[in-house]
């Protein structure tokens, strides 16, 4: 039963978010039809979002293999799912306990402090719980003490990180109804701050004028498909047909395969956006019940793609700028004696795109570009600096990819060394 609750229910983001919607609707004493409809649509929206993310991840993983083979670069590839899967063999129980009690701390802090945020991105809750378990264990802390310290830190992060971003999130969404619950927050905050001081919000990425002959580029899905097609085909030419057709495509022509994967990627983004719209449409009204009854004035903190529909052009600009910074970082990291971090397409897409939206909201086109470049550098250097504090977990060829994991892990690991 404990395994069912911790891993299968609390560890499944769609079910977790659906439970919050169900509780919210019940607290509002909605009719059975509204409760069933709202709960199922919330779960469905999250599953659609997750399905889109799976499509994206599949295309990006193939691109990563092509990139690594083409340029003969070996190094650490940040991937949250991979590092957590490895860590579960050693820290599975600790991760589950920190996750559950961290959520309790989140609710307590939201109820009794001014930080009225409920963190609903279940998979990132689990990722951070796992990272905390690994760092605390590597520092010699174990048992009940490990769970208590990890839970308090996790619960605090689940309210403080959304609060840090909320002033910028309000500028993006035009309301105070939702927050960002994603542990790439430091990157988004830096991007928004850079845009604020070095950009010009009057010149938005969304106001880029496209000639009539290129009017099809106004459709963000088409523009993204063409951008990714260009990237895939260029890298495919360096990779060569032999590797792609023998190892990846199952014999399909390497150019046709690359084009198909680029369009698949764009389709994945379209699916993600559809899921986001459905989740927001259902979770915000449902959440009012929790806000009114349990945590007055609480806001749901949701995954970073919720900001994508507000600035689709900034999504493309942010991803490309962050990835460019990641490529540049590969050559800078050895200069500082650090491990080479191969730019992971998944973290650069999701966090780079979100950073682009934040930078655009405060600083327009310049803010989107500069802010996303900064995010790319952050998620390249922090994973390299994080490796030493992960103990034996840092020798597996992968690590945590998003900014907050690096900041929290490095600060906690080095702080514990002092004691």
């Amino acid at each position: 039963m404990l395994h069912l609750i911790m891993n299968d229910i609390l560890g499944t983001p769609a079910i977790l978010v659906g439970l919050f919607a169900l509780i919210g609707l019940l607290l509002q004493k909605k009719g059975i039809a509204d409760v069933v409809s709202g709960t199922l649509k919330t779960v469905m929206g999250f599953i659609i979002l997750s399905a889109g993310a799976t499509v994206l991840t599949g295309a990006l993983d193939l691109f990563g293999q092509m990139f690594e083979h083409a340029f003969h670069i070996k190094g650490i590839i940040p991937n949250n799912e991979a590092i957590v899967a490895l860590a579960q063999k050693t820290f599975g129980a600790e991760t589950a306990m920190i996750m559950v009690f961290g959520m309790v701390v989140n609710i307590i802090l939201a109820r009794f402090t001014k930080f009225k945020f409920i963190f609903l991105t279940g998979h990132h809750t689990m990722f951070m719980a796992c990272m905390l378990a690994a760092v605390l264990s590597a520092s010699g802390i174990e048992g009940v003490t490990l769970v208590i310290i990890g839970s308090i830190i996790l619960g605090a992060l689940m309210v403080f990180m959304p609060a840090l971003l909320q002033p910028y999130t309000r500028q993006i969404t035009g309301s105070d109804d939702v927050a960002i619950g994603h542990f790439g927050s430091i990157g988004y905050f830096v991007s928004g701050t850079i845009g604020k001081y070095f950009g010009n919000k009057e010149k938005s990425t969304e106001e880029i004028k496209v000639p009539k002959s290129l009017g099809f580029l106004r459709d963000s899905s088409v523009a993204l498909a063409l951008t990714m097609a260009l990237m895939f085909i260029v890298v495919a030419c360096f990779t060569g047909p032999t590797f792609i057709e023998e190892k990846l495509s199952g014999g399909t022509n390497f150019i046709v395969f690359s084009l198909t994967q680029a369009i698949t990627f764009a389709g994945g983004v379209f699916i993600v956006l559809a899921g986001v719209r459905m989740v927001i449409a259902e979770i915000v009204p449902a959440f009012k019940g929790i806000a009114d009854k349990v945590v007055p004035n609480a806001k749901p903190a949701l995954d970073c793609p919720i900001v994508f529909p507000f600035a689709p052009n900034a999504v493309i600009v942010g991803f490309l700028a962050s990835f460019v910074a990641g490529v540049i970082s590969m050559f800078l990291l050895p200069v500082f004696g650090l491990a080479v971090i191969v730019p992971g397409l998944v973290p650069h897409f999701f966090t780079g795109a979100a950073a682009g939206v934040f930078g655009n909201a405060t600083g327009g086109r310049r803010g989107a570009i500069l802010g996303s470049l900064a995010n790319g550098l952050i998620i390249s250097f922090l994973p390299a600096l994080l490796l030493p504090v992960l103990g034996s977990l840092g020798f597996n060829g992968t690590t945590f990819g998003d900014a907050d994991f690096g900041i929290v892990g490095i600060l906690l690991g080095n702080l514990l060394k002092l004691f």
Side-chain angles (χ1 to χ4, degrees):
M1 180 60 70
L2 186 63
H3 181 277
L4 171 67
I5 295 173
M6 290 183 175
N7 293 326
D8 296 336
I9 296 178
L10 297 180
T12 304
I15 300 299
L16 178 63
V17 175
L19 282 174
F20 273 92
L22 174 63
I23 294 168
L25 291 166
L26 290 175
L27 288 174
Q28 293 181 77
K29 298 180 180 178
K30 293 286 187 180
I32 185 66
D34 290 334
V35 171
V36 172
S37 175
T39 302
L40 288 180
K41 283 186 176 180
T42 301
V43 175
M44 192 185 307
F46 211 95
I47 289 174
I48 290 172
L49 194 160
S50 300
T54 300
V55 173
L56 286 174
T57 303
L60 292 175
D61 284 345
L62 289 169
F63 183 88
Q65 293 181 54
M66 291 164 57
F67 187 89
E68 186 173 342
H69 182 83
F71 302 106
H72 305 289
I73 295 174
K74 294 288 184 181
I76 305 297
I77 303 175
N79 186 288
N80 296 330
E81 289 79 5
I83 190 74
V84 169
L86 292 169
Q88 288 306 297
K89 299 174 182 177
T90 307
F91 308 110
E94 292 87 345
T95 296
M97 296 296 287
I98 290 174
M99 181 178 177
V100 171
F101 290 111
M103 292 170 66
V104 173
V105 173
N106 176 191
I107 294 172
I108 293 172
L109 290 175
R111 176 67 179 84
F112 295 106
T113 73
K114 65 179 182 180
F115 301 109
K116 306 295 183 182
F117 302 96
I118 303 295
F119 196 101
L120 295 180
T121 310
H123 62 294
H124 259 236
T125 305
M126 182 174 69
F127 295 164
M128 183 61 78
C130 180
M131 197 275 294
L132 290 170
V135 172
L136 290 169
S137 177
S139 300
I141 297 173
E142 56 186 23
V144 175
T145 304
L146 182 150
V147 173
I148 292 173
I149 294 174
S151 300
I152 293 172
I153 294 173
L154 177 60
L157 290 170
M158 291 167 76
V159 293
F160 294 153
M161 288 308 183
L164 177 70
L165 291 177
Q166 195 60 11
Y168 293 149
T169 305
R170 280 196 296 267
Q171 292 187 50
I172 294 170
T173 63
S175 74
D176 205 27
D177 294 333
V178 296
I180 297 296
H182 188 268
F183 288 129
S185 300
I186 295 298
Y188 313 148
F189 180 77
V190 169
S191 182
T193 303
I194 287 175
K196 179 179 178 180
Y197 290 105
F198 298 100
N200 180 1
K201 65 186 301 183
E202 302 303 320
K203 295 184 178 180
S204 171
T205 56
E206 309 313 298
E207 296 174 356
I208 297 174
K209 293 183 178 180
V210 181
K212 289 184 178 180
S213 60
L214 298 176
F216 57 88
L217 292 176
R218 292 193 182 97
D219 185 322
S220 59
S221 296
V222 174
L224 182 59
L226 289 173
T227 301
M228 291 305 296
L230 180 62
M231 291 181 63
F232 263 95
I233 291 172
V234 168
V235 172
C237 289
F238 281 98
T239 305
T242 303
F243 177 80
I244 295 175
E245 293 174 10
E246 292 183 359
K247 302 291 185 180
L248 304 178
S249 74
T252 302
N253 178 271
F254 74 112
I255 296 295
V256 173
F257 177 76
S258 300
L259 182 61
T260 302
Q261 291 305 314
I263 297 173
T264 299
F265 178 89
V269 173
F270 186 86
I271 296 170
V272 165
L273 296 180
V276 165
R277 292 187 183 100
M278 182 176 286
V279 170
I280 292 178
E282 299 300 329
I283 194 70
V284 172
F287 199 80
K288 188 175 183 298
I290 296 176
D292 291 342
K293 302 292 184 180
V294 181
V295 186
N297 303 315
K299 300 174 184 66
L302 303 172
D303 206 347
C304 66
I306 68 166
V307 300
F308 290 3
F310 293 95
N313 289 346
V315 169
I316 301 171
V317 170
F319 165 48
L320 293 176
S322 184
F323 181 69
V324 167
V327 173
I328 294 172
S329 297
M330 284 194 303
F331 303 99
L332 294 178
L333 287 164
V335 175
F336 295 95
L338 298 171
V340 174
I341 300 295
V342 177
L345 271 292
V346 173
H348 279 287
F349 174 72
F350 285 104
T351 70
V357 176
F358 274 85
N360 177 67
T362 59
R365 282 169 271 179
R366 194 188 311 153
I369 294 171
L370 294 178
S372 299
L373 284 170
N375 177 79
L377 292 173
I378 288 170
I379 65 172
S380 297
F381 275 81
L382 287 181
L385 294 169
L386 177 64
L387 288 172
V389 301
L390 290 177
S392 60
L393 196 60
F395 299 99
N396 286 292
T398 186
T399 185
F400 294 93
D402 301 338
D404 296 356
F405 298 108
I407 290 288
V408 173
I410 292 165
L411 289 178
L412 179 60
N414 286 287
L415 183 63
L416 290 171
K417 284 181 181 179
L418 295 177
F419 297 96

